[in-house]
Amino acid sequence: MTAERSPAASILFALWLAEATGAFETAMIYAAYKALIVTFHDPVKVGWLVTAFLLVSAGGAAVVGRSGDLYGRRRVLLWLLGAGAFGAAVSASATSFAALLVGRSIEGLSAAILPLVIGLVRENLPRERVALGIGLMISGASAGTAAGLVIGGLLVDHFSWHAVFLASTSFALLSFGLVLAWVPRSHVATGHARLDWVGGVLFVPAIAGLLLYISDGRVWGWGGPWMTVLLIASAALFALWIARSLRTPDPLIDIRLFADRRVLLANAIGALVATGALQITLVFSVLLQAPRWTGIGLGTSATLAGLAKLPSNLGSLFAGPLGGYLTERRGARLTMTGGGLLATSGWLLAMWQHGSVAMLVAVLCVISFGTTILFAVGPTLLVAAVPSARTSEAAAMMGVVRQLFIAVGAQLVAVLLATDTVIGPDGARYPTSDAFMLTMGVVPGLCGLATLVALALPEALQVGPAPAVSPAGA
């Protein structure tokens, strides 16, 4: 069956699997983290496998989104899946840390898939089904994250960390084949629009520098001379990029789109949720694995900690489509407010119900369900607000905002957990009950603020159909 005659269900499955692939490549490194430290004997060095992936994915997201809008989203999506497969293969065959880092950096491009699949959902689904389709794509991220943690853990335990990257290669190649076979050739923009490469030259290092400062400032010293120079240079490039974007008729990212209240509020909510609620894995992984003598830790193994997160990831498979369905029926404001209240309640519940693994599994399900609904609505708001020709661009910008504030939130949580610690027999410092209570008090505050911002959203939501454009051989 050719892509042009594929039913909607086949198109959605191929796009869903593509997004799951990107999430798998993002999460599976955590399953291999301990084994990589054993191999390379340096946790700071291994941390660069996460940092490099984050920098490439955030820096490339805007260029990828706009490229898809201009030259065909399917074509660019296939390039990203191919890059993910190639990078994972390089990592799987690596015999040195340098080769592993190169492969992992190339893999970072696969994390920029979501803006493209959102655009392709808008292209291929009837207007009234777009919100549901976008919600389904968000659930793909949850499925990929769960697979990365669980399958990755099993492969590391029974084989080696090389096997995790081999699985990632296979996953990306399968997605590539299904997208090629089932997703119709994409539309491209008419006229003489070109990719704003100068904007990319300014934006990519600016956002990468800011992310590097946030993610590694605690290790290198935020006030150190080199980090200060990095911050100033990144801020200067960012300011120059903003000024140029306002003057350019067709910029890489049109920040004038933020004049629309829906775009501004969707990104503000995304930033607040990324800073707070999306730190769920970090906070509860530490809590589950902390020794019992700390007064709050449950002393579980890393494998059990990963399995404890699995039910919430499975629940998110339903939360994403539900968020899209409720948005179609009840509107964005009501849906986002409900998701925000659910996530906030879950975090507050965690302050009292954390005495057993079973309790935490239930709490994680509540938090994840509400958070996923919040994120399922955000891209739908953008689709309703921006022209079809800039759909992936706007979604990519939301992805950049999310990545930036995830890094901010990770550092915030690290600082909060370090406010009160005890030293164990092994010489390691562990957060006390007071530190966890402080953290689990700040995070629901951020969730509650996101819920209040959602109340400012317009009641109605209309996702317009994509205008007719010239098909290209993507």
Side-chain angles (χ1 to χ4, degrees):
M1 177 177 290
T2 64
E4 283 74 5
R5 295 193 298 273
S6 297
S10 297
I11 295 171
L12 283 174
F13 179 74
L15 295 176
W16 182 89
L17 193 65
E19 173 54 25
T21 298
F24 181 91
E25 298 208 20
T26 301
M28 56 88 169
I29 193 68
Y30 297 105
Y33 209 81
K34 183 178 179 180
L36 289 165
I37 292 176
V38 171
T39 299
F40 297 106
H41 313 293
D42 188 346
V44 175
K45 179 188 289 187
V46 172
W48 271 98
L49 298 175
V50 177
T51 301
F53 187 94
L54 178 68
L55 293 176
V56 172
S57 63
V63 176
V64 165
R66 189 60 181 144
S67 298
D69 287 338
L70 291 177
Y71 306 126
R73 296 176 184 122
R74 191 189 77 153
R75 176 187 288 131
V76 179
L77 176 57
L78 289 171
W79 276 104
L80 293 188
L81 290 170
F86 176 73
V90 170
S91 298
S93 60
T95 57
S96 67
F97 182 80
L100 179 60
L101 183 62
V102 169
R104 184 65 181 160
S105 299
I106 297 171
E107 279 185 86
L109 291 171
S110 66
I113 282 173
L114 184 59
L116 297 170
V117 299
I118 288 174
L120 286 165
V121 165
R122 189 178 189 182
E123 280 185 28
N124 292 287
L125 263 64
R127 180 190 62 79
E128 64 275 8
R129 310 308 293 170
V130 169
L132 182 61
I134 290 175
L136 188 63
M137 296 304 107
I138 301 299
S139 77
S142 297
T145 299
L149 294 173
V150 177
I151 296 175
L154 291 172
L155 289 172
V156 169
D157 287 342
H158 292 88
F159 300 99
S160 73
W161 59 261
H162 294 275
V164 178
F165 291 99
L166 284 174
S168 187
T169 304
S170 302
F171 203 177
L173 289 175
L174 175 62
S175 297
F176 183 97
L178 293 183
V179 169
L180 184 64
W182 289 349
V183 177
R185 294 184 177 185
S186 208
H187 301 298
V188 298
T190 55
H192 301 285
R194 295 178 180 272
L195 187 63
D196 178 21
W197 289 108
V198 176
V201 168
L202 295 173
F203 178 80
V204 171
I207 200 69
L210 289 174
L211 280 169
L212 187 61
Y213 179 85
I214 293 167
S215 61
D216 288 331
R218 217 161 57 90
V219 176
W220 294 347
W222 281 305
W226 287 109
M227 294 301 284
T228 302
V229 169
L230 176 65
L231 178 62
I232 293 173
S234 299
L237 283 175
F238 201 68
L240 184 61
W241 170 77
I242 291 175
R244 189 181 184 282
S245 178
L246 292 172
R247 294 195 308 266
T248 303
D250 191 29
L252 176 71
I253 296 175
D254 191 355
I255 62 174
R256 289 167 292 225
L257 295 174
F258 283 87
D260 189 298
R261 183 176 59 162
R262 294 166 294 181
V263 175
L264 180 62
L265 293 179
N267 279 279
I269 293 167
L272 289 167
V273 175
T275 306
L278 286 189
Q279 304 306 320
I280 179 173
T281 302
L282 174 59
V283 173
F284 289 103
S285 290
V286 175
L287 176 60
L288 283 161
Q289 296 179 67
R292 286 188 174 275
W293 55 258
T294 61
I296 191 170
L298 297 179
T300 69
S301 65
T303 300
L304 182 56
L307 289 173
K309 186 70 175 63
L310 182 59
S312 63
N313 288 114
L314 295 177
S316 295
L317 295 179
F318 302 97
L322 177 63
Y325 175 82
L326 292 176
T327 301
E328 291 174 353
R329 297 295 187 274
R330 301 296 182 183
R333 184 169 67 189
L334 181 62
T335 304
M336 264 194 159
T337 302
L341 289 173
L342 194 61
T344 304
S345 300
W347 279 97
L348 291 174
L349 184 63
M351 298 180 73
W352 288 275
Q353 300 295 327
H354 53 256
S356 70
V357 174
M359 287 180 183
L360 281 184
V361 168
V363 167
L364 287 168
C365 288
V366 174
I367 295 173
S368 292
F369 206 87
T371 303
T372 303
I373 288 177
L374 275 172
F375 265 101
V377 180
T380 304
L381 275 172
L382 295 184
V383 169
V386 305
S388 177
R390 304 196 83 103
T391 301
S392 293
E393 169 201 338
M397 187 60 197
M398 174 174 273
V400 172
V401 170
R402 180 179 61 191
Q403 293 281 56
L404 181 62
F405 281 92
I406 283 176
V408 171
Q411 293 305 314
L412 174 63
V413 166
V415 170
L416 291 173
L417 291 178
T419 55
D420 190 25
T421 60
V422 290
I423 301 177
D426 57 358
R429 288 187 174 272
Y430 296 95
T432 65
S433 177
D434 289 341
F436 275 109
M437 289 299 102
L438 176 61
T439 304
M440 288 189 283
V442 170
V443 172
L446 292 168
C447 293
L449 184 56
T451 306
L452 290 175
V453 174
L455 291 173
L457 291 168
E459 182 70 29
L461 176 68
Q462 291 294 326
V463 182
V469 289
S470 302

Short mmCIF file of all heavy atoms in Angstrom, two decimals, residues 14 48 121 139 168 173 194 197 204 240 301 331-332 341 370 373:
data_model
loop_
_atom_site.label_atom_id
_atom_site.label_comp_id
_atom_site.label_asym_id
_atom_site.label_seq_id
_atom_site.Cartn_x
_atom_site.Cartn_y
_atom_site.Cartn_z
N ALA A 14 2.23 5.39 12.24
CA ALA A 14 3.60 5.65 11.80
C ALA A 14 4.16 6.90 12.49
O ALA A 14 5.32 6.91 12.93
CB ALA A 14 3.64 5.82 10.28
N TRP A 48 28.11 14.21 30.05
CA TRP A 48 28.13 14.89 28.76
C TRP A 48 27.32 14.17 27.69
O TRP A 48 26.91 14.77 26.70
CB TRP A 48 29.58 15.07 28.30
CG TRP A 48 30.15 16.36 28.79
CD1 TRP A 48 30.94 16.55 29.88
CD2 TRP A 48 29.93 17.66 28.24
NE1 TRP A 48 31.23 17.87 30.04
CE2 TRP A 48 30.63 18.58 29.04
CE3 TRP A 48 29.22 18.12 27.15
CZ2 TRP A 48 30.62 19.95 28.78
CZ3 TRP A 48 29.21 19.49 26.88
CH2 TRP A 48 29.91 20.38 27.68
N VAL A 121 0.19 15.74 11.39
CA VAL A 121 -1.17 15.48 11.85
C VAL A 121 -2.12 16.52 11.29
O VAL A 121 -3.21 16.20 10.80
CB VAL A 121 -1.22 15.46 13.40
CG1 VAL A 121 -2.66 15.54 13.89
CG2 VAL A 121 -0.58 14.19 13.94
N SER A 139 1.13 11.03 23.62
CA SER A 139 1.19 9.72 24.28
C SER A 139 2.34 8.88 23.73
O SER A 139 2.88 8.02 24.43
CB SER A 139 -0.14 8.98 24.09
OG SER A 139 -0.27 8.43 22.78
N SER A 168 18.04 0.95 19.86
CA SER A 168 17.65 2.28 19.38
C SER A 168 17.79 2.37 17.86
O SER A 168 16.94 2.95 17.17
CB SER A 168 18.52 3.34 20.06
OG SER A 168 18.09 4.63 19.73
N LEU A 173 15.07 2.57 12.55
CA LEU A 173 14.92 2.04 11.19
C LEU A 173 13.50 1.55 10.93
O LEU A 173 12.96 1.75 9.83
CB LEU A 173 15.91 0.88 10.98
CG LEU A 173 17.39 1.29 10.89
CD1 LEU A 173 18.28 0.05 10.81
CD2 LEU A 173 17.63 2.20 9.69
N ARG A 194 12.51 31.19 1.96
CA ARG A 194 13.76 30.46 2.16
C ARG A 194 14.03 30.32 3.65
O ARG A 194 13.56 31.11 4.45
CB ARG A 194 14.93 31.21 1.50
CG ARG A 194 14.82 31.30 -0.03
CD ARG A 194 16.00 32.09 -0.60
NE ARG A 194 15.94 32.19 -2.05
CZ ARG A 194 16.45 31.30 -2.87
NH1 ARG A 194 17.08 30.23 -2.38
NH2 ARG A 194 16.36 31.44 -4.17
N TRP A 197 18.94 31.10 7.35
CA TRP A 197 20.14 30.50 7.91
C TRP A 197 20.86 31.45 8.86
O TRP A 197 21.45 31.01 9.86
CB TRP A 197 21.09 30.09 6.79
CG TRP A 197 20.59 28.91 6.01
CD1 TRP A 197 20.10 28.89 4.74
CD2 TRP A 197 20.50 27.55 6.47
NE1 TRP A 197 19.71 27.63 4.37
CE2 TRP A 197 19.95 26.78 5.42
CE3 TRP A 197 20.84 26.91 7.67
CZ2 TRP A 197 19.73 25.41 5.54
CZ3 TRP A 197 20.62 25.55 7.79
CH2 TRP A 197 20.08 24.82 6.73
N VAL A 204 20.89 29.19 17.27
CA VAL A 204 21.35 27.88 17.74
C VAL A 204 22.46 28.01 18.79
O VAL A 204 22.35 27.44 19.88
CB VAL A 204 21.77 26.99 16.56
CG1 VAL A 204 22.44 25.72 17.07
CG2 VAL A 204 20.55 26.64 15.71
N LEU A 240 20.51 39.85 19.82
CA LEU A 240 20.71 40.16 18.40
C LEU A 240 19.74 39.38 17.53
O LEU A 240 19.19 39.90 16.55
CB LEU A 240 22.16 39.84 18.03
CG LEU A 240 22.59 40.19 16.60
CD1 LEU A 240 22.45 41.69 16.35
CD2 LEU A 240 24.05 39.76 16.37
N SER A 301 16.13 -0.61 44.41
CA SER A 301 17.16 -0.67 43.37
C SER A 301 16.77 0.26 42.23
O SER A 301 15.63 0.72 42.12
CB SER A 301 17.27 -2.10 42.84
OG SER A 301 16.07 -2.47 42.18
N GLY A 331 -13.16 22.57 25.11
CA GLY A 331 -12.32 23.75 24.99
C GLY A 331 -10.99 23.60 25.73
O GLY A 331 -10.84 22.79 26.64
N ALA A 332 -10.03 24.43 25.31
CA ALA A 332 -8.67 24.34 25.86
C ALA A 332 -8.60 24.80 27.31
O ALA A 332 -7.88 24.21 28.12
CB ALA A 332 -7.72 25.17 25.00
N LEU A 341 -4.98 21.11 37.75
CA LEU A 341 -5.46 20.79 39.10
C LEU A 341 -5.09 19.36 39.48
O LEU A 341 -4.72 19.08 40.63
CB LEU A 341 -6.97 20.98 39.18
CG LEU A 341 -7.47 22.44 39.14
CD1 LEU A 341 -8.99 22.48 39.05
CD2 LEU A 341 -6.98 23.19 40.38
N GLY A 370 -2.22 14.17 34.85
CA GLY A 370 -2.51 15.60 34.74
C GLY A 370 -1.51 16.34 33.90
O GLY A 370 -1.87 17.20 33.08
N ILE A 373 -2.00 15.70 30.13
CA ILE A 373 -3.13 16.45 29.59
C ILE A 373 -2.72 17.89 29.31
O ILE A 373 -3.05 18.47 28.27
CB ILE A 373 -4.32 16.39 30.56
CG1 ILE A 373 -4.94 14.99 30.54
CG2 ILE A 373 -5.38 17.43 30.21
CD1 ILE A 373 -6.08 14.80 31.52
#
